[in-house]
Amino acid sequence: MPEPRTPPMTVEKLIRDLAGRFDAAGLSYGHGTDNSIDEAAWLVFAALGLSHQDAPAVYNAIVSDEQQAIVGALAQRRIDEKIPVAYLTNQAWFAGLEFYVDERVLVPRSPFAELIEQRFSPWIDADAVTRALDLGTGSGCIAIAIAAAFPEAEVDAVDISADALAVAAINIERHGLGNRVWPVESDFFAALDGRRYELIVSNPPYVDRADLEAMPEEFRHEPELGLAAGDDGLESVHKILGDASRFLTDNGILVCEVGNSQAALEAAYPALPFVWLEFEHGGAGVFLLTQADLASAQ
């Protein structure tokens, strides 16, 4: 009697098999996903060049032995080396846009995407935004998403890291925004004298020493320069708050993410009227201040 044939490997089965392996390995998430199924799906779709727009029909597609080997090698590195999928595939998503990433930059994961998609309503007149600034641009994802949401605006994408700006330049070119998004090497505002913006945004380093030391191994593949902000997580934010008012127009706003350092920030600046923004799709620790708020505190 002939042996029963092994059913062919499908995309869906491969995703579920990988998710089981990720669960068994006790992996940590937080670089664009928060569970093993989504992590496995991202890896499979990226490695096989599949489009999420074709789901769910693509889940029944057959995966060849050669394709399984490619995916399997990447999955093994994810397990053994704890490398985030974004770095394994050089792919990340932010505000519905695709970006190139590698270990020179943080993996995009900021709740800023929701604010950008809403064009920072109701906090600013979107049609009046002609210049915007992204401090600590990393991959350039926030600056590029802002340029997409504000088609009449120019955006300065600032970072102290030349390596990060090289990645940002790749993404600026891929999105065809070389005439509106400008990479600038600068330590926060140091190289921006004379410029003023209706909108300044920043997702700066804000991880305090205790949180940094407790981070899972996956986060240690990211550049520490983009994460560490001293004992209380406020080193970068102090610099931003000290200078931002001089670079904002009279009706301008500063929007800045500080994550778990929110309580420390409020304790350090009890007189500042922080507006803590709320998010429909998850996220916290993002404040908004107007130019007038900042100027009055100087």
Side-chain angles (χ1 to χ4, degrees), residues 21-81:
R21 291 174 59 192
F22 291 169
D23 285 337
L27 300 183
S28 292
Y29 308 104
H31 292 92
T33 70
D34 60 6
N35 63 83
S36 60
I37 283 285
D38 288 347
E39 188 91 349
W42 181 3
L43 178 57
V44 171
F45 271 65
L48 300 185
L50 303 175
S51 171
H52 291 279
Q53 293 180 342
D54 296 332
V58 75
Y59 290 129
N60 293 320
I62 304 302
V63 183
S64 70
D65 291 345
E66 181 180 358
Q67 289 175 317
Q68 290 180 57
I70 292 170
V71 173
L74 292 172
Q76 199 60 50
R77 293 193 68 196
R78 178 68 183 91
I79 291 168
D80 292 343
E81 302 175 53

Side-chain angles (χ1 to χ4, degrees), residues 213-231:
E213 292 174 353
M215 279 185 163
E217 191 172 342
E218 280 83 352
F219 291 86
R220 304 191 187 283
H221 290 277
E222 294 189 296
E224 187 172 319
L225 181 65
L227 295 169
D231 289 339

Side-chain angles (χ1 to χ4, degrees), residues 154-179:
E154 295 189 8
V155 185
D156 286 340
V158 168
D159 209 290
I160 195 173
S161 166
D163 283 344
L165 290 174
V167 175
I170 292 171
N171 287 314
I172 291 167
E173 181 178 358
R174 286 191 176 186
H175 287 274
L177 289 168
N179 63 333

Side-chain angles (χ1 to χ4, degrees), residues 81-167:
E81 302 175 53
K82 305 296 189 295
I83 301 173
V85 167
Y87 292 149
L88 291 170
T89 61
N90 298 121
Q91 178 199 65
W93 296 85
F94 180 78
L97 303 172
E98 183 178 353
F99 294 93
Y100 172 89
V101 294
D102 60 31
E103 294 189 21
R104 292 175 288 180
V105 297
L106 300 185
V107 177
R109 51 182 177 273
S110 171
F112 263 115
E114 190 174 319
L115 300 175
I116 295 168
E117 289 164 358
Q118 296 169 351
R119 304 182 80 199
F120 294 90
S121 176
W123 306 103
I124 196 168
D125 177 2
D127 293 333
V129 176
T130 61
R131 293 191 65 85
L133 169 62
D134 175 24
L135 284 174
T137 197
S139 65
C141 65
I142 291 176
I144 289 166
I146 288 174
F150 296 85
E152 302 302 318
E154 295 189 8
V155 185
D156 286 340
V158 168
D159 209 290
I160 195 173
S161 166
D163 283 344
L165 290 174
V167 175

